[in-house]
Amino acid sequence: MPATSPRRLHLNAFLMNAGHHDAAWRHPRTQPERVTDLRYFQQLAQTAERGLLDSVFLADGLALWGKVRHNALGGFEPLTLLSALAAVTEHVGLIATVSTTFNEPFHTARKFASLDHISGGRAGWNIVTSGTVNEARNFGQDEHLEHRLRYERAREFVDVATKLWDSWEDDAILLDRERGIYADTDKVREINHRGQYFGVQGPLNVPRTPQAYPLLVQAGSSEDGKEFAAQYAEAVFTAQQTLADGQAFYKDLKSRLARYGRTEDQLLVLPGIAPVIGSTEAEARALEQELTGLQVPEYGLAQLSGMLGTDLTGLPLDGPLPELPEERNINGNKSRFTLVAELAHRDGLTLRELIARLGAGRGHRVFAGTPEQIADQLQEWFTQGAADGFNIMPPHLPGGLEDFVDHVVPILQRRGLFRTEYTGRTLREHYGLARPANRLTAPAVGEGQPA
């Protein structure tokens, strides 16, 4: 983005079935019977676009998360769904989660290239390494690949995917009907990658796309995760509970970019926030309490056990957390383990209180208030060096997203903090990021291009 442009917030809508609160499906404002109804998600995407949001995002895992007995879990594969959302939207970006641990670079590169063409340049890839043993067991493995090795594999995976997207030059297709030449084969190249984890000949069987690469997103705050983000990511979804924690993470992550030849404006930090919105503060807090009252403790305890790598079954809900393993012994989501453990100890929470605190955001910040108060919170983090924008996690859907779009976005616009119209067509343009140069033809790393 040009230096003369005013700095504006970036807002992503994180869509999750009936909403992010683990009891949302029990609330009368939600529609859990529609979690496999395409029209439901199309309406959500259209609401996000009506609010001029940068993008919508779908999380994903390769196992059935949580206890389906007590929550509306399961649903669409994200790339399939986003292709259908592309057909009913024109501007909003479309970000899908795909694991580098249980996929191969070729078909992942192919799917994202297809989505980028289908959407006219609105695809984004949330790169995850997967974090649960249940996922491993769906792919013939008894245990999950060790945390550090997952990130080693992820680095090579992204390297191969970007080579595949570069295997076609922008002007490779000639369409010379008279001479019978469709493509200049000097501009469609094999990549001949041979590495520790992958052997890929190429080229990709999809021509170069409007964005060249999908927007590369990362969502991990461990040391391995932050270093991976500094090297490859262009947007980071992250979880911090306090302004000070957000500022520390923001400064730390941005400080790592220079050693990869990148500048601070080439990576956007988007903390998650679950806004519980009411016309008055009392109304917002009443809604928050109403959702808490609908929680099933058994479900919350199972979720908490997974986050902490510790079986909490049978422990008294009004007692404290038991002694936990050290972070270095956690092979799942290290950053979420640390955040939850620190939250419990800092605020002296019982298991019941911790389950309530995590119900709407699973460790992401939850804030209940009026639209003005929500806007104040976003503005504070944005202007005080803790965020470039936010991953908006409506506690209940569709109403929580509608409330944000109809009541919070106009306040941000009046304050000059958010766009009043889309000025670009691609997701990269929404985020103010450059289109990557082709690494296979450019002798040096260009601006906006992963090192």
Side-chain angles (χ1 to χ4, degrees):
M1 188 179 293
T4 54
S5 298
R7 184 168 174 256
R8 298 277 175 85
L9 277 165
H10 298 287
L11 298 174
N12 172 76
F14 183 173
L15 306 180
M16 182 171 280
N17 285 1
H20 282 270
H21 199 286
D22 60 32
W25 71 277
R26 301 182 68 192
H27 196 277
R29 286 190 68 184
T30 64
Q31 302 168 6
E33 70 279 4
R34 299 186 69 193
V35 300
T36 52
D37 179 351
L38 172 60
R39 289 170 296 178
Y40 171 69
F41 283 96
Q42 288 178 329
Q43 290 161 5
L44 292 175
Q46 289 169 334
T47 298
E49 185 161 274
R50 176 165 59 81
L52 306 177
L53 271 58
D54 294 67
S55 46
V56 297
F57 161 57
L58 299 173
D60 193 44
L62 297 167
L64 184 62
W65 283 339
K67 286 186 176 291
V68 72
R69 178 178 176 86
H70 299 302
N71 200 354
L73 303 171
F76 290 118
E77 186 281 319
L79 281 164
T80 305
L81 176 56
L82 290 177
S83 294
L85 301 188
V88 298
T89 55
E90 294 183 11
H91 297 283
V92 72
L94 306 165
I95 302 174
T97 297
V98 172
S99 169
T100 58
T101 303
F102 302 114
N103 285 287
E104 291 288 322
F106 190 93
H107 69 235
T108 299
R110 185 188 190 200
K111 289 175 182 178
F112 276 107
S114 297
L115 178 62
D116 208 47
H117 279 295
I118 288 167
S119 64
R122 294 185 281 141
W125 174 18
N126 179 42
I127 304 162
V128 300
T129 66
S130 297
T132 70
V133 69
N134 286 339
E135 291 172 288
R137 290 172 181 168
N138 284 334
F139 291 85
Q141 300 175 26
D142 292 329
E143 296 297 333
H144 206 356
L145 192 65
E146 193 269 323
H147 189 273
R148 179 183 57 82
L149 297 179
R150 295 205 303 271
Y151 275 99
E152 284 184 5
R153 178 185 165 99
R155 287 185 179 88
E156 186 177 340
F157 193 111
V158 174
D159 183 52
V160 176
T162 54
K163 287 177 182 175
L164 287 166
W165 291 320
D166 286 337
S167 64
W168 290 65
E169 292 188 37
D170 285 321
D171 57 353
I173 296 176
L174 299 179
L175 280 177
D176 189 333
R177 291 183 172 89
E178 186 174 333
R179 290 192 296 154
I181 299 174
Y182 175 74
D184 181 347
T185 48
D186 289 336
K187 296 183 177 184
V188 182
R189 296 178 175 83
E190 295 180 356
I191 68 169
N192 293 316
H193 176 90
R194 293 293 178 270
Q196 181 178 354
Y197 294 97
F198 306 109
V200 182
Q201 175 179 286
L204 192 63
N205 55 355
V206 183
R208 193 155 167 88
T209 74
Q211 292 190 115
Y213 304 169
L215 180 78
L216 300 180
V217 183
Q218 185 267 354
S221 302
S222 66
E223 279 302 306
D224 288 330
K226 287 187 286 190
E227 205 60 26
F228 180 88
Q231 186 172 2
Y232 294 106
E234 297 166 300
V236 169
F237 296 153
T238 183
Q240 277 83 43
Q241 288 283 324
T242 68
L243 175 63
D245 288 345
Q247 290 169 326
F249 177 86
Y250 187 95
K251 183 178 180 180
D252 178 13
L253 192 55
K254 298 273 187 171
S255 72
R256 298 172 188 243
L257 293 166
R259 62 174 164 267
Y260 297 104
R262 305 181 66 198
T263 56
E264 291 193 6
D265 60 354
Q266 290 176 309
L267 185 149
L268 303 170
V269 177
L270 308 175
I273 184 169
V276 185
I277 304 171
S279 57
T280 65
E281 185 175 347
E283 184 181 297
R285 295 199 178 280
L287 175 58
E288 185 177 37
Q289 285 302 115
E290 189 177 357
L291 288 164
T292 297
L294 294 172
Q295 284 187 293
V296 178
E298 181 185 342
Y299 179 86
L301 203 60
Q303 292 292 95
L304 189 56
S305 296
M307 290 182 194
L308 296 174
T310 302
D311 186 2
L312 305 174
T313 307
L315 292 179
L317 290 174
D318 294 312
L321 271 181
E323 187 173 343
L324 299 174
E326 294 185 26
E327 182 192 322
R328 67 172 182 268
N329 295 323
I330 295 294
N331 194 31
N333 187 329
K334 288 180 181 286
S335 54
R336 194 56 51 88
F337 167 87
T338 302
L339 185 150
V340 172
E342 288 180 351
L343 172 64
H345 293 140
R346 184 186 72 221
D347 294 353
L349 302 178
T350 65
L351 288 176
R352 190 188 305 277
E353 291 167 336
L354 188 55
I355 288 168
R357 289 281 286 272
L358 297 173
R362 301 176 308 284
H364 290 276
R365 186 161 178 253
V366 180
F367 186 85
T370 65
E372 287 277 353
Q373 290 172 323
I374 301 293
D376 289 345
Q377 291 294 310
L378 302 186
Q379 182 170 357
E380 181 182 32
W381 281 51
F382 180 61
T383 58
Q384 297 301 312
D388 296 304
F390 295 89
N391 202 19
I392 305 300
M393 303 167 57
H396 59 94
L397 288 171
L401 181 60
E402 293 167 347
D403 290 345
F404 185 86
V405 162
D406 292 336
H407 301 295
V408 180
V409 166
I411 296 169
L412 297 173
Q413 290 170 327
R414 288 196 295 271
R415 296 180 183 182
L417 294 170
F418 192 61
R419 67 172 64 87
T420 55
E421 62 179 344
Y422 287 111
T423 56
R425 288 286 301 168
T426 72
L427 178 54
R428 288 180 169 278
E429 289 172 331
H430 298 342
Y431 279 107
L433 296 166
R435 185 176 187 268
N438 191 313
R439 291 192 305 165
L440 300 187
T441 60
V445 174
E447 182 180 352
Q449 178 180 342

